[in-house]
Amino acid sequence: MLDDDPTAWDEISGWIEAARVGYVMEHNRLGVMGHYYGGMLDIYSDLTRQCAGFGGHVEMVELASLRADVTPAEIRDRVARFREAFDVQPDCPEEELERAARTSVALDRLVETHRLGSMAYYYMGKGSPANEDAISSIILGTSLLT
């Protein structure tokens, strides 16, 4: 059955992949940024249940303060990387690319500092201008991380 049996090998491959995912989840460091709100059932996750079921570690993280240390040279380099990786439209304002670049570099530092394997974030958008600025410019950086 094992030699040249695609059905058997497809099933074996499925079990191997399931074991790999289980291992990754058990050793994952999940960064959680932001806060949940009442009634947020579409993307809410019970972090205690997740750790109990899969293992892993949850790290509560904050991004806004890391943006302050990003240098103009790092911003220029990241904008260039954006232009290589994405189809940046000519009408995209340079200042928005620079804002996204600052956040992207800070995200890389966040992931490295906390050794994150995954990240979840949500910010409702009121109360902290620094958090609002970070979260509203996070898409390109998270796309690069993915």
Side-chain angles (χ1 to χ4, degrees), residues 20-94:
R20 187 193 67 76
V21 169
Y23 178 86
V24 167
M25 289 299 293
E26 181 180 4
H27 295 89
N28 184 46
R29 292 179 58 87
L30 167 63
V32 176
M33 181 170 37
H35 56 277
Y36 296 130
Y37 65 88
M40 183 174 159
L41 302 177
D42 56 339
I43 57 175
Y44 173 79
S45 178
D46 183 333
L47 301 175
T48 302
R49 182 173 277 177
Q50 183 171 333
C51 286
F54 295 110
H57 173 79
V58 175
E59 187 75 35
M60 300 308 218
V61 296
E62 188 270 332
L63 177 64
S65 63
L66 294 174
R67 294 176 80 242
D69 296 329
V70 176
T71 68
E74 290 172 314
I75 292 171
R76 277 192 307 276
D77 290 347
R78 189 53 55 100
V79 167
R81 187 166 174 206
F82 286 164
R83 292 189 184 283
E84 291 171 7
F86 305 114
D87 181 18
V88 178
Q89 299 299 299
D91 61 344
C92 180
E94 191 68 20

Side-chain angles (χ1 to χ4, degrees), residues 1-16:
M1 296 267 328
L2 293 179
D3 293 329
D4 300 321
D5 185 348
T7 303
W9 282 109
D10 285 347
E11 186 170 340
I12 291 167
S13 295
W15 283 104
I16 290 170

